[in-house]
Amino acid sequence: MSIAEVRTQAGLTQDEVAQRMQTMQSNIALREAGRTTPSTRTQETFACAVGARLKISFELAHTS
């Protein structure tokens, strides 16, 4: 699920999430557009701001 979908399901606007994360709305918009690569800490902060739990997993790449 994308961060935009998570935020929307939480019923929050970009501005509300930004306030909870103590950042600017434009930073949230950039993350949702995939124009930045947030750190794990930022992802954890986002998850907390929207009332979600961060889950990180690995998948092996299959080579031919």
Side-chain angles (χ1 to χ4, degrees), residues 20-64:
R20 291 178 181 197
M21 292 180 68
Q22 298 180 343
T23 190
M24 297 183 336
Q25 177 273 329
S26 59
N27 290 332
I28 304 303
L30 287 172
R31 289 184 186 110
E32 288 187 5
R35 302 201 55 202
T36 62
T37 304
S39 67
T40 302
R41 174 172 278 198
T42 298
Q43 291 176 21
E44 290 173 340
T45 303
F46 174 84
C48 183
V50 299
R53 188 170 46 105
L54 178 63
K55 178 180 176 184
I56 299 173
S57 64
F58 295 92
E59 295 180 2
L60 291 176
H62 295 284
T63 58
S64 300

